[in-house]
Amino acid sequence: MKRFITGCFLFFLILLPGVVSAQVKMTMTKIADGVYFMQNSAGSSNSTFVVTDDGVLVFDIDIRTADQTLAAIRKLTDKKVKYLISSHAAGDHATGAWHFREDKPVYIATKNVVQDLFMQEAKEFEERANDPKVVGYKGRELVRPDLGFEGNMTLHFGGLTFQITAEGRGHSTGDLTVFMPQKRLMFMGDPLDTEIHPGQGESAGVWFSNVKGWIQILDNVMARNLPVETYVPGHGPVHLGRGVKDLEEQKRYFVVMRDEVAKMVAAGKTLEQVEKEFKIPQEFAHYTRPERLKAFYKLFYNQLIERGY
Ligand SMILES: [Zn+2]
C-alpha cells in the first residue's frame, strides 16, 4: 500500500513539470577518467561534465538543476568552468548558464539554438519565471550562448579533442553531438534517450520534434562507425560499454512505433482512436514516462500524413 501511495505521488509529481523540479536529484556517475554523468532522477535532462587540467567543460545545463552540477564540480576541483555546450535549445538543456556566471565560461551552441533562445524558448523562460507554480526560474536570468555555429567544429581543450557536430533537425530544431575520441565517448543529447519514452519537443506552443529527422540523425551517427564505447543519453540512465546497441534500439523505437501508428492510419483510424487504442509494443513496455506518448501519437500521426507538425 505504501508503495502504491508513493507511486501515485511520484506519478502526480511527474505530471507537474514545475513542481517536479523541486524534488529532482542529479545523481553523479563517473563514466571515464575525468568525465562525470549527472542523471536526472525524474527522467528530465541529464548533464555531463569533463574535468581537465585547464578547467571544466559542461554539456547541457538546465536552470532547475545546473546548480547541482556546479556543486558537484566544486567538490571535485578548484578549476574554473571554461566551456558550456548545449545539445539543443529546449529549456531543460540550454537555460542553466546563469549558474556558472562567476567563472565566465564560453557558451557554445548551434546558430539555431541562439535563435530559439531569442524566440519561443525566451517566451517559455519568461512564462515560467512569472508562474508561481514553477520552481527554479524565478529571479534567474536566461543567459544565451556566446558562440553560435553551423556544420561542425573542433575544440581542443585540456589535452582533449571535442568534435562538435550540428546534426540537424530531429528531437529539436537542431541537435548537436560531441564526440571525445580520447575517452571513447559521445554525448548524444536528446537524439538518444534510454529506457524512457522520449520527449516530443514543445516550447511556448511551438512543436519541433521530427520523427523522420530523428531517425536520420541516428542513422548518420551510426554510419560514422566511430570508436565509441558509450553513447551518453539526454534522458535516462547511461549504459556503460553498450555502444551502438543503444542507438540501434532508439532507432528501432521510432521505426516500430511509427509503423504501429501507420497501420492504424491505414485502417482508417482517427487520431482520437489512435490515442485511445494504441498498444505499446512489448519491447518498449518497460520504458518510463508513458504519459509522454500522447503528444507523440499526434506527431507520428500528423507527420505521416504531413499535416503540420
Ligand atoms: Zn530533453
Side-chain angles (χ1 to χ4, degrees):
M1 186 64 183
K2 190 169 170 233
R3 204 191 202 155
F4 174 74
I5 291 167
T6 311
C8 286
F9 182 61
L10 275 177
F11 182 69
F12 182 65
L13 282 177
I14 283 162
L15 288 176
L16 298 166
V19 174
V20 76
S21 59
Q23 317 293 326
V24 165
K25 193 174 165 344
M26 301 294 279
T27 307
M28 192 176 81
T29 308
K30 186 175 180 179
I31 57 173
D33 194 30
V35 187
Y36 300 85
F37 173 71
M38 305 287 287
Q39 188 186 340
N40 188 303
S41 62
S44 190
S45 59
N46 300 324
S47 177
T48 307
F49 63 92
V50 184
V51 180
T52 79
D53 291 341
D54 297 334
V56 181
L57 178 147
V58 184
F59 178 81
D60 276 354
I61 42 176
D62 182 342
I63 192 78
R64 298 164 297 187
T65 57
D67 50 342
Q68 293 185 47
T69 301
L70 180 61
I73 292 168
R74 293 287 195 245
K75 263 191 205 164
L76 286 167
T77 178
D78 55 5
K79 304 280 182 207
K80 296 232 179 292
V81 176
K82 291 283 183 67
Y83 291 99
L84 304 173
I85 301 175
S86 280
S87 60
H88 65 289
D92 56 333
H93 298 260
T95 52
W98 181 84
H99 289 291
F100 303 91
R101 63 199 182 282
E102 191 183 284
D103 289 3
K104 298 187 169 57
V106 174
Y107 180 8
I108 301 171
T110 57
K111 279 192 179 194
N112 70 276
V113 168
V114 179
Q115 186 179 11
D116 288 354
L117 288 175
F118 278 99
M119 303 293 287
Q120 74 271 14
E121 299 298 338
K123 197 172 166 211
E124 184 187 79
F125 193 96
E126 200 191 317
E127 281 170 7
R128 289 181 174 183
N130 291 320
D131 185 343
K133 294 194 296 297
V134 177
V135 176
Y137 283 76
K138 209 176 170 47
R140 296 171 175 176
E141 281 166 41
L142 178 61
V143 176
R144 297 181 177 90
D146 302 292
L147 204 157
F149 75 99
E150 276 176 347
N152 56 73
M153 65 183 287
T154 301
L155 171 68
H156 291 290
F157 169 57
L160 298 169
T161 307
F162 299 84
Q163 294 182 22
I164 311 172
T165 305
E167 305 284 359
R169 186 177 176 203
H171 163 72
S172 73
T173 57
D175 298 281
L176 70 70
T177 59
V178 180
F179 170 45
M180 293 179 65
Q182 289 95 336
K183 302 292 180 187
R184 299 175 69 81
L185 290 172
M186 189 155 174
F187 306 157
M188 287 296 293
D190 282 6
L192 175 66
D193 294 347
T194 57
E195 301 175 38
I196 186 168
H197 293 286
Q200 69 284 357
E202 179 271 335
S203 296
V206 177
W207 294 82
F208 44 74
S209 287
N210 183 275
V211 173
K212 204 166 149 186
W214 206 318
I215 293 169
Q216 190 65 58
I217 289 175
L218 291 162
D219 271 339
N220 291 345
V221 175
M222 285 190 278
R224 289 175 207 148
N225 294 306
L226 295 168
V228 170
E229 277 173 24
T230 303
Y231 289 91
V232 179
H235 296 249
V238 65
H239 296 148
L240 287 178
R242 194 170 184 234
V244 78
K245 284 197 173 67
D246 268 346
L247 303 186
E248 288 164 356
E249 180 174 329
Q250 183 72 96
K251 177 186 170 182
R252 203 166 58 246
Y253 176 91
F254 287 111
V255 172
V256 169
M257 296 290 273
R258 183 177 60 182
D259 194 41
E260 291 301 313
V261 173
K263 283 179 203 159
M264 297 173 87
V265 169
K269 304 274 187 193
T270 63
L271 175 58
E272 290 68 31
Q273 287 171 314
V274 172
E275 286 172 354
K276 212 183 276 173
E277 297 168 23
F278 188 90
K279 289 198 175 48
I280 301 172
Q282 193 51 39
E283 62 174 315
F284 310 119
H286 66 287
Y287 280 24
T288 57
R289 306 279 304 261
E291 80 281 359
R292 281 175 154 184
L293 274 172
K294 189 157 194 288
F296 246 120
Y297 298 139
K298 205 183 257 183
L299 281 186
F300 285 124
Y301 189 93
N302 287 314
Q303 287 178 4
L304 269 168
I305 56 175
E306 299 197 353
R307 284 169 64 109
Y309 289 87

